[in-house]
Amino acid sequence: MDRRTEIRDFLTTRRARVTPEQAGLRPSPLGGARRVPGLRREEVAQLAGVSVPYYTRLERGDARGATDAVLDAIARVLLLDDAERAHLFDLVRAANATAAEARTPRHPARRTLRPELWNMLEAMNGVPAYVRNARLDLLAGNALARALFAPVFDSPARPANSARFTFLDPAAAEFYPDWDAVADQNVATLRAEAGRNPYDKALSDLIGELSTRGDTFRQRWARHEVRRHRAGAKRLHHPLVGELTFTYETMELTADDGLFLVVCGVAPGSRDADALDLLAGWTSPRPTNEAPTRRT
């Protein structure tokens, strides 16, 4: 992905969604229709305390000399949330990276999961738990997670990946009753990771695969939405136990850069808990049916 284009498209899409009223600007006494949606470049520059030529150059993708203070001011004017602000900083960092930095991946390559992670998943046999990487590959799961997300783990769209399943497997539309929300979440997560780790070839290949195999992903990707989906609720229509809703918490594994532990839960005594108990009765106590040799 071209870094200058990424900065340009991100800033222009964010600027287009902020109204003058939201930015605290008074209506022009001359009235009349505005020619652009959202703020004008000169308005962003004025509110951020920079010159119009400087902001114009930055919005065109030339991030040379962009300081943290300037980026913070622009983020404030454009009403960026924490994830969007971090994404802007990531894009500028990547655009200004030296050749040596560009060749260094943000997340070190790792061929296997540590045995301690497999033991931890095996011990967590009362709740669905799995490990994923930042590009949404499902690397390992305990028996209950593999039962809950069986359509994803067993999907012919390989390797097992949440976004690949959502966009390429026809079963996804039935498995996710709220498919649009899940699709948006996956795209926003991948978009944020592309900003953090733009030289990850596997990530670029995944984005290219999803973009070329249908318009749905490509249209969402063009919106430049970024989010941090670390906790929330999700609804599934499981092929064995029907519809159930669970909450999830995503925790970054500090000893394994780029890996995340996702733990799912349901309300005690609920129908969702009954469905999960039913699944648990059908599962093996083993964490997976594969040796721990998955690539990350």
Side-chain angles (χ1 to χ4, degrees):
M1 293 176 288
D2 180 72
R3 296 298 100 195
R4 294 174 67 102
T5 300
E6 290 292 305
I7 294 174
R8 181 197 68 198
D9 292 348
F10 181 68
L11 287 176
T12 54
T13 54
R14 299 313 93 175
R15 175 166 61 87
R17 72 179 186 179
V18 180
T19 67
E21 292 75 19
Q22 289 175 312
L25 295 176
R26 296 179 179 179
S28 171
L30 300 178
R34 296 172 63 88
R35 292 182 298 174
V36 296
L39 295 177
R40 302 184 181 99
R41 283 177 176 169
E42 56 267 28
E43 291 170 334
V44 175
Q46 174 190 348
L47 292 169
V50 299
S51 69
V52 175
Y54 179 92
Y55 179 75
T56 300
R57 177 168 61 83
L58 177 62
E59 194 177 270
R60 288 174 177 168
D62 185 350
R64 290 174 297 174
T67 66
D68 288 356
V70 167
L71 296 179
D72 273 327
I74 292 171
R76 173 181 50 80
V77 172
L78 297 181
L79 307 179
L80 303 188
D81 62 22
D82 290 344
E84 292 168 328
R85 177 187 175 279
H87 187 62
L88 175 61
F89 274 72
D90 285 336
L91 293 178
V92 170
R93 173 188 55 80
N96 291 330
T98 64
E101 291 170 336
R103 291 192 296 268
T104 303
R106 188 77 176 267
H107 304 313
R110 191 180 296 103
R111 296 182 64 87
T112 61
L113 296 183
R114 292 184 294 116
E116 292 82 359
L117 293 179
W118 291 85
N119 294 337
M120 178 180 65
L121 288 174
E122 184 175 11
M124 300 173 67
N125 56 15
V127 295
Y130 63 92
V131 174
R132 69 163 175 85
N133 61 20
R135 57 179 177 269
L136 301 180
D137 291 332
L138 276 59
L139 305 174
N142 63 11
L144 195 49
R146 293 182 69 89
L148 181 62
F149 298 102
V152 185
F153 277 102
D154 300 335
S155 173
R158 309 302 296 172
N161 176 282
S162 294
R164 186 177 280 110
F165 170 76
T166 299
F167 287 97
L168 301 184
D169 195 316
E174 182 176 358
F175 187 60
Y176 293 127
D178 306 310
W179 186 90
D180 282 313
V182 173
D184 288 342
Q185 175 180 327
N186 286 337
V187 173
T189 299
L190 291 179
R191 172 63 81 175
E193 177 59 16
R196 283 190 299 268
N197 201 18
Y199 309 108
D200 182 342
K201 184 179 185 303
L203 175 62
S204 298
D205 290 346
L206 173 64
I207 293 168
E209 176 188 2
L210 297 177
S211 297
T212 56
R213 295 185 61 180
D215 294 336
T216 306
F217 178 87
R218 188 165 57 249
Q219 291 166 355
R220 283 175 163 81
W221 187 255
R223 299 172 190 167
H224 288 264
E225 298 293 338
V226 291
R227 292 290 182 271
R228 291 174 177 168
H229 295 284
R230 300 295 172 84
K234 188 168 292 185
R235 188 164 59 111
L236 304 180
H237 184 83
H238 195 276
L240 295 180
V241 298
E243 188 169 306
L244 72 156
T245 299
F246 62 91
T247 60
Y248 63 90
E249 297 286 337
T250 305
M251 293 154 277
E252 189 165 6
L253 299 175
T254 56
D256 297 85
D257 191 23
L259 296 188
F260 301 84
L261 172 66
V262 183
V263 180
C264 308
V266 293
S270 65
R271 183 201 172 280
D272 300 318
D274 293 340
L276 201 59
D277 287 343
L278 185 58
L279 272 179
W282 292 338
T283 59
S284 163
R286 293 188 301 273
T288 70
N289 58 4
E290 299 181 22
T293 56
R294 288 184 180 273
R295 293 178 180 272
T296 62

